[in-house]
């Protein structure tokens, strides 16, 4: 029920043309390959579907959500970077607390890493914005996962 990658690219371009503040959040499910290898692809699919449902709920307030590719998602939050950082951390905590169970009744703990960059503060064009959010996501994963890193934090060395 989320936008696909092509629509995501178009939507980001539309947001840039509006010239109003927004934040792009790229989201990656931590250790997803291990989840698939340990519990099977049907369970991995259930995890992705549930995360997509949560992202759709989150984006209904404002902005939009998309499947970015594989186990990666994208979320646009209208408004200030500070507000988006707050919402990103809320989302991270929500996924961390979500109860995922295998068919055998085993609870599996799922976490996500998030990287964000804001328009126009961090970038004024679509490709730069995506690259910076992706770079922040990479730092979030490299520095321990289950965290939110923004482009400015990365630049200031606060990770």
């Amino acid at each position: 029920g989320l936008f696909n990658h092509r629509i995501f690219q178009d939507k980001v371009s539309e947001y840039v043309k509006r010239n109003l503040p927004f934040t792009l959040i790229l989201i990656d499910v931590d250790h997803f390959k291990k989840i698939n290898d340990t519990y099977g692809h049907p369970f991995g699919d259930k995890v992705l579907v549930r995360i997509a449902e949560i992202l759709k709920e989150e984006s209904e307030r404002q902005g939009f959500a998309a499947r970015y590719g594989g186990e990666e998602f994208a979320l646009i939050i209208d408004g200030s970077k500070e507000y988006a950082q707050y919402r990103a951390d809320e989302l991270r905590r929500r996924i961390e607390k979500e109860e995922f169970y295998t068919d055998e009744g085993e609870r599996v703990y799922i976490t996500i890493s998030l990287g964000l960059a804001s328009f126009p503060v961090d970038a004024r064009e679509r490709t730069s914005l995506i690259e910076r959010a992706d770079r922040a996501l990479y730092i979030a994963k490299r520095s321990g996962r289950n965290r939110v890193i923004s482009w400015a934090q990365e630049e200031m060395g606060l990770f």
Side-chain angles (χ1 to χ4, degrees):
L2 299 181
F3 291 115
N4 64 26
H5 188 86
R6 183 182 58 77
I7 300 296
F8 160 76
Q9 294 287 346
D10 292 344
K11 287 275 206 188
V12 174
S13 292
E14 288 173 24
Y15 265 71
V16 168
K17 285 178 190 169
R18 284 184 2 187
N19 203 28
L20 296 172
F22 71 93
T23 298
L24 167 62
I25 304 170
L26 293 181
I27 303 155
D28 189 79
V29 180
D30 294 331
H31 303 292
F32 191 71
K33 182 180 180 338
K34 184 178 177 185
I35 292 165
N36 272 339
D37 291 348
T38 304
Y39 303 103
H41 290 271
F43 178 76
D45 289 346
K46 284 183 4 184
V47 168
L48 294 178
V49 167
R50 181 63 189 132
I51 291 173
E53 290 169 351
I54 291 168
L55 289 173
K56 191 167 184 172
E57 289 170 22
E58 285 293 316
S59 67
E60 286 174 353
R61 289 194 230 170
Q62 58 192 37
F64 73 91
R67 179 90 179 265
Y68 194 69
E71 72 275 9
E72 290 187 345
F73 298 91
L75 181 63
I76 290 285
I77 302 291
D78 295 327
S80 73
K81 185 174 191 172
E82 295 75 21
Y83 176 67
Q85 285 179 286
Y86 170 77
R87 292 271 309 277
D89 202 49
E90 273 188 334
L91 176 62
R92 182 194 62 76
R93 286 193 308 268
R94 181 173 177 189
I95 298 295
E96 184 179 44
K97 292 176 184 172
E98 186 74 19
E99 296 185 2
F100 294 92
Y101 290 95
T102 65
D103 290 341
E104 294 75 31
E106 179 183 352
R107 181 164 185 202
V108 179
Y109 292 89
I110 305 295
T111 60
I112 57 174
S113 296
L114 303 94
L116 61 89
S118 293
F119 174 89
V121 177
D122 299 322
R124 295 199 56 83
E125 62 175 33
R126 179 184 54 85
T127 54
S128 296
L129 187 70
I130 294 168
E131 287 169 5
R132 289 176 178 171
D134 189 55
R135 176 73 178 145
L137 174 61
Y138 173 80
I139 297 296
K141 294 193 77 67
R142 192 181 77 193
S143 62
R145 294 182 172 83
N146 192 26
R147 63 192 62 216
V148 176
I149 297 289
S150 75
W151 174 252
Q153 285 175 317
E154 181 204 344
E155 289 296 291
M156 294 183 305
L158 298 175
F159 54 91

